[in-house]
């Protein structure tokens, strides 16, 4: 001690006062340092500004931990108390490193994805990088937390000995733990596989479980699909590895919309082709790449006419299909009502009555 205290003051009060004073000084120094760092990076790029703002809490913990480390030798602690404080400081340092690693990973992700915009018309490259980066970020965060937690637990003698014996023996407890964690581990490894192979990406248009929607979020264990009516479909990551599904924007966003007309055999196919071309060409939804009108099937009562028209993405293709259906049906009802499908029933009533009369 740098000065002598009255003997009637208990040791615990002296220790409490020293630690309180040290923590208050550390918080004050942290605030001064943080304000200075904020002013320094105010005019710099996004990386440095994000680095300072994101790490304000870990830095504050570092200041407090350093203050406790410096004041511990001067505190009148017993051997057990000093050992407990040192153990607590070790846990704080482990947590501090993990916290800084997670913050650095987040800052790197934000800076890296700044170059890619999902709201652009051709966002295939952006969706690829956003999906890959977000999945790897979540997996990296889980790994950092798992490593930090393992290291923290290994600082306790009982847990360390149990862990060493468990790994050495690989007994029944290890098997039970492995079986219990199997679904979690399957989803984690499925997330890594999705990040590498990328069968789906953020904002992809999917047809899965009979529902159409866009990929809204990919976490470390599940995928959220925003269905067209704003419902959310939550699907485990392993689903996209083990089961088939439709990805309408796997390589490019543009799609070919299909409209089927079931008409009478007397329908003027050439006139229908010209009218459909006029309707499609007049719409801003068409991307001027694909258009076709073909008779694709002859049924017992009707013939099937297929109209193809392409659009830049799946929502525009859906709207274009609805527009063509509405326009074509209105035109057919007005100009060619006789070609609309109907059932024919032929009965030779007059011949049947003559035969009955003759009999």
């Amino acid at each position: 001690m740098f000065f002598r205290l009255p003997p009637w003051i208990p040791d615990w009060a002296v220790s409490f006062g020293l630690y309180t004073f040290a923590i208050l000084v550390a918080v004050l120094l942290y605030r001064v340092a943080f304000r200075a760092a904020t002013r320094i990076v105010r005019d710099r790029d996004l990386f440095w500004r994000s680095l300072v703002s994101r790490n304000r809490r870990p830095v504050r913990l570092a200041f407090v931990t350093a203050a406790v480390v410096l004041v511990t030798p001067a505190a009148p602690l017993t051997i057990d108390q000093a050992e407990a404080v040192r153990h607590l400081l070790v846990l704080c340092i482990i947590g501090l490193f993990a916290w800084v690693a997670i913050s650095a990973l987040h800052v790197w992700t934000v800076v890296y994805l700044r170059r890619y915009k999902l709201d652009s018309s051709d966002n295939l490259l952006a969706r690829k990088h956003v999906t890959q980066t977000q999945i790897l970020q979540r997996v990296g965060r889980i790994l950092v937390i798992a490593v930090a937690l393992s290291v923290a637990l290994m600082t306790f003698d009982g847990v360390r000995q149990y862990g060493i014996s468990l790994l050495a023996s690989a007994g029944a407890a290890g098997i039970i733990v492995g079986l219990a964690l199997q679904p979690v581990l399957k989803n984690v490894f499925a997330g890594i596989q999705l990040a590498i192979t990328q069968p789906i990406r953020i904002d992809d248009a999917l047809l899965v479980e009979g529902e159409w929607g866009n990929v809204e979020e990919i976490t470390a264990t599940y995928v959220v699909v925003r269905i067209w009516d704003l419902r959310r479909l939550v699907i485990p990551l392993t689903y996209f590895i083990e089961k088939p599904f439709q990805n309408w924007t796997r390589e490019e966003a543009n799609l070919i919309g299909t409209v089927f007309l079931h008409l009478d055999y007397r329908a003027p196919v050439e006139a229908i082709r010209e009218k459909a071309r006029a309707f499609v060409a007049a719409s801003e939804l068409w991307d001027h790449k694909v258009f076709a009108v073909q008779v694709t099937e002859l049924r017992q009562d009707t013939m099937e006419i297929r109209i193809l028209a392409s659009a830049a993405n799946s929502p525009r293709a859906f709207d274009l299909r609805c527009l063509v259906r509405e326009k074509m049906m209105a035109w057919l009802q007005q100009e060619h009502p006789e070609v609309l499908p109907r059932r024919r029933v032929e009965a030779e009533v007059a011949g049947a009555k003559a035969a009955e009369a003759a009999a």
Side-chain angles (χ1 to χ4, degrees):
M1 298 291 293
F2 299 102
F3 55 91
R4 184 178 295 277
L5 295 173
W8 51 268
I9 300 178
D11 291 343
W12 66 266
V14 176
S15 300
F16 178 78
L18 286 175
Y19 283 122
T20 302
F21 177 75
I23 292 174
L24 291 177
V25 172
V27 172
L28 180 62
L29 292 176
Y30 154 75
R31 291 183 178 179
V32 174
F34 181 76
R35 290 179 182 176
T38 303
R39 285 196 294 268
I40 291 174
V41 302
R42 181 171 50 193
D43 298 328
R44 303 191 68 174
D45 57 13
L46 178 63
F47 173 78
W48 294 103
R49 287 186 279 113
S50 299
L51 186 64
V52 172
S53 62
R54 185 75 183 181
N55 287 291
R56 58 181 304 175
R57 292 181 179 178
V59 172
R60 181 169 56 193
L61 178 60
F63 270 81
V64 172
T65 303
V68 174
V69 170
L70 293 176
V71 81
T72 297
L77 302 174
T78 63
I79 296 177
D80 293 337
Q81 291 173 346
E83 185 63 26
V85 171
R86 293 190 187 96
H87 195 184
L88 180 62
L89 291 174
V90 170
L91 295 178
C92 289
I93 293 173
I94 294 173
L96 181 62
F97 275 106
W99 202 346
V100 171
I102 293 175
S103 298
L105 184 62
H106 175 80
V107 172
W108 174 83
T109 302
V110 172
V111 174
Y112 178 76
L113 294 180
R114 185 178 55 173
R115 298 175 292 176
Y116 305 101
K117 303 296 182 182
L118 288 175
D119 54 357
S120 61
S121 58
D122 187 9
N123 61 355
L124 179 62
L125 183 63
R127 291 188 288 108
K128 175 182 178 180
H129 285 274
V130 169
T131 302
Q132 194 172 47
T133 304
Q134 287 187 357
I135 293 177
L136 292 178
Q137 179 192 7
R138 291 187 174 96
V139 173
R141 186 187 302 133
I142 292 175
L143 291 177
V144 170
I145 294 174
V147 171
L149 184 60
S150 300
V151 174
L153 291 176
M154 297 298 285
T155 60
F156 298 90
D157 293 336
V159 176
R160 181 171 64 249
Q161 293 173 0
Y162 175 75
I164 293 174
S165 62
L166 179 62
L167 293 176
S169 62
I175 297 176
I176 294 174
V177 172
L179 293 175
L181 294 178
Q182 185 179 5
V184 177
L185 296 177
K186 284 180 62 178
N187 280 295
V188 170
F189 286 112
I192 297 175
Q193 186 173 351
L194 284 178
I196 297 174
T197 60
Q198 291 197 342
I200 60 172
R201 305 184 184 96
I202 295 294
D203 205 37
D204 266 352
L206 304 182
L207 184 61
V208 55
E209 293 293 316
E211 300 282 0
W212 180 88
N214 295 88
V215 178
E216 184 177 52
E217 183 182 6
I218 301 178
T219 69
T221 55
Y222 61 87
V223 176
V224 179
V225 179
R226 185 183 67 253
I227 305 176
W228 63 273
D229 58 359
L230 301 184
R231 290 178 295 151
R232 264 58 175 181
L233 185 63
V234 181
I235 306 173
L237 284 178
T238 53
Y239 180 95
F240 298 96
I241 303 298
E242 301 172 352
K243 296 184 179 181
F245 61 94
Q246 293 185 29
N247 189 336
W248 292 9
T249 53
R250 177 68 178 86
E251 297 296 336
E252 52 187 12
N254 58 323
L255 291 174
I256 298 177
T258 306
V259 175
F260 289 98
L261 301 178
H262 300 276
L263 303 176
D264 190 83
Y265 282 101
R266 294 175 294 175
V269 177
E270 191 59 35
I272 291 174
R273 180 177 290 111
E274 295 301 323
K275 204 63 181 179
R277 183 184 297 275
F279 289 147
V280 171
S283 174
E284 60 180 11
L285 300 172
W286 186 42
D287 62 359
H288 301 274
K289 291 183 178 180
V290 175
F291 174 79
V293 176
Q294 298 169 314
V295 178
T296 55
E297 187 65 58
L298 296 177
R299 305 183 187 277
Q300 182 178 359
D301 300 317
T302 60
M303 64 177 175
E304 181 184 85
I305 299 178
R306 185 183 68 183
I307 302 174
L308 301 179
S310 58
N313 51 50
S314 54
R316 294 174 67 89
F318 179 81
D319 292 339
L320 182 59
R321 292 167 62 193
C322 295
L323 176 67
V324 171
R325 288 193 194 99
E326 295 173 3
K327 295 286 187 180
M328 290 303 300
M329 290 307 300
W331 177 73
L332 289 172
Q333 290 172 1
Q334 183 177 1
E335 300 294 334
H336 299 279
E338 72 279 359
V339 305
L340 297 177
R342 64 188 65 188
R343 292 287 183 180
R344 291 187 178 88
V345 179
E346 296 182 0
E348 296 181 358
V349 179
K353 288 183 178 181
E356 292 178 359

